[in-house]
Amino acid sequence: VIVVGAAAALELCAPAAPVLPLAGVRVGLVGTPAFTERLARRLEALGAAAVPCMTARVRPLPPQPGWERLADGRSCWVVLTSRNGVGCFFDALAAARIDVRRLHACRFAAIGPATAEALAQRGITADLCPEQATGAELARALCAAAGLGEEILLFRAAESSPEMRGILTAQGFSVREYTLYKTEYAAASPNAEADYLAFASAGGVRAWFSACGAAPKGAVCVCIGPVTARALAQQTGAPFLTAEDISAEGVAECILRAHRHKKAQEE
């Protein structure tokens, strides 16, 4: 190949691939596929390697007695606290042979934007969604929004915290609780090397420490929010991180900030 004239000054090599901000970082994941798959996509886009360390399987439970309350025409609040819960709720409606059009008197509350999005995909816009995606914030928002005599129906996981129900009953609301599913955890790669270990729930924290006893050596734990952080603080005295935004994107951003801070200190 002979290059003549001004073309000889051109760079003919392929440009170097950009160095992504989390290149070389390994992040262990603990949670259900609905969470870990979203987080893995975000982390891998930033250059990190996402490693499932403990997976959670959602086992739907059969509808409990009392589901006919939803379709009796009396005003009530239907409260859903996860994307998984939304899926199980509509599956249970079908199993109980309840036509969704009979829920015209129900108003829907979602614990956060991910749950509200899952509801929207089913054709229902959440009537209530608190700014912070925690059970306590949702309970306080319900106390302000629910009318006198409106019953509140909680649809959630078997292992859910009693905090939300406690706040509502303390304010005099009538609350019914229905168990939609049980979350079952299984170790995938408990001995994997990781720089960070991300937890999507308090249940995941308890399951991990029950099975493994400690985080991988050298790994910094990252919690999706304050409820998960409280559960982790009960298990370890080691420093850990808590995402500002309760979402997969919030966890990824928390890891990105921590890694940049660590690199700046090393330099």
Side-chain angles (χ1 to χ4, degrees):
V1 177
I2 301 173
V3 181
V4 179
L10 299 178
E11 174 58 65
L12 301 180
C13 298
V19 178
L20 297 173
L22 291 182
V25 174
R26 290 174 63 83
V27 182
L29 310 179
V30 179
T32 63
F35 169 79
T36 58
E37 289 172 8
R38 292 201 315 277
L39 179 55
R41 286 194 296 271
R42 178 60 181 147
L43 290 170
E44 288 164 359
L46 294 168
V51 183
C53 288
M54 180 170 274
T55 58
R57 183 176 75 92
V58 173
R59 180 165 64 85
L61 300 175
Q64 297 167 269
W67 273 67
E68 63 277 1
R69 167 67 182 89
L70 288 167
D72 66 7
R74 288 182 293 157
S75 178
C76 67
W77 281 88
V78 172
V79 181
L80 295 159
T81 59
S82 70
R83 295 178 69 97
N84 292 317
V86 171
C88 291
F89 174 79
F90 283 94
D91 289 345
L93 275 183
R97 304 185 69 81
I98 297 175
D99 189 323
V100 70
R101 291 173 296 180
R102 296 177 63 192
L103 308 187
H104 59 87
C106 301
R107 289 199 282 175
F108 284 77
I111 197 169
T115 305
E117 179 188 0
L119 262 178
Q121 291 170 356
R122 298 282 185 160
I124 293 177
T125 301
D127 298 284
L128 181 66
C129 184
E131 289 187 7
Q132 188 178 28
T134 66
E137 285 300 311
L138 178 55
R140 284 189 276 270
L142 280 164
C143 289
L148 187 65
E150 279 191 309
E151 194 169 30
I152 296 175
L153 312 180
L154 304 182
F155 293 89
R156 48 194 192 148
E159 58 274 10
S160 296
S161 165
E163 182 180 27
M164 185 189 304
R165 181 169 191 156
I167 293 172
L168 292 167
T169 54
Q171 294 299 313
F173 288 98
S174 174
V175 180
R176 292 196 202 189
E177 189 158 1
Y178 299 90
T179 303
L180 290 173
Y181 63 92
K182 183 176 179 60
T183 308
E184 299 173 339
Y185 289 87
S189 301
N191 299 317
E193 294 183 0
D195 301 291
Y196 299 91
L197 183 64
F199 290 102
S201 69
V205 169
R206 290 188 288 268
W208 174 271
F209 281 87
S210 175
C212 305
K217 186 177 180 180
V220 176
C221 293
V222 186
C223 297
I224 194 172
V227 175
T228 305
R230 286 198 296 270
L232 184 57
Q234 293 172 356
Q235 300 289 340
T236 178
F240 59 84
L241 306 172
T242 303
E244 293 181 4
D245 180 51
I246 304 174
S247 65
E249 293 73 18
V251 173
E253 182 63 29
C254 180
I255 292 171
L256 178 60
R257 285 199 307 271
H259 184 63
R260 283 175 168 164
H261 180 69
K262 180 182 176 182
K263 287 185 67 176
Q265 286 187 321
E266 291 172 349
E267 292 171 358

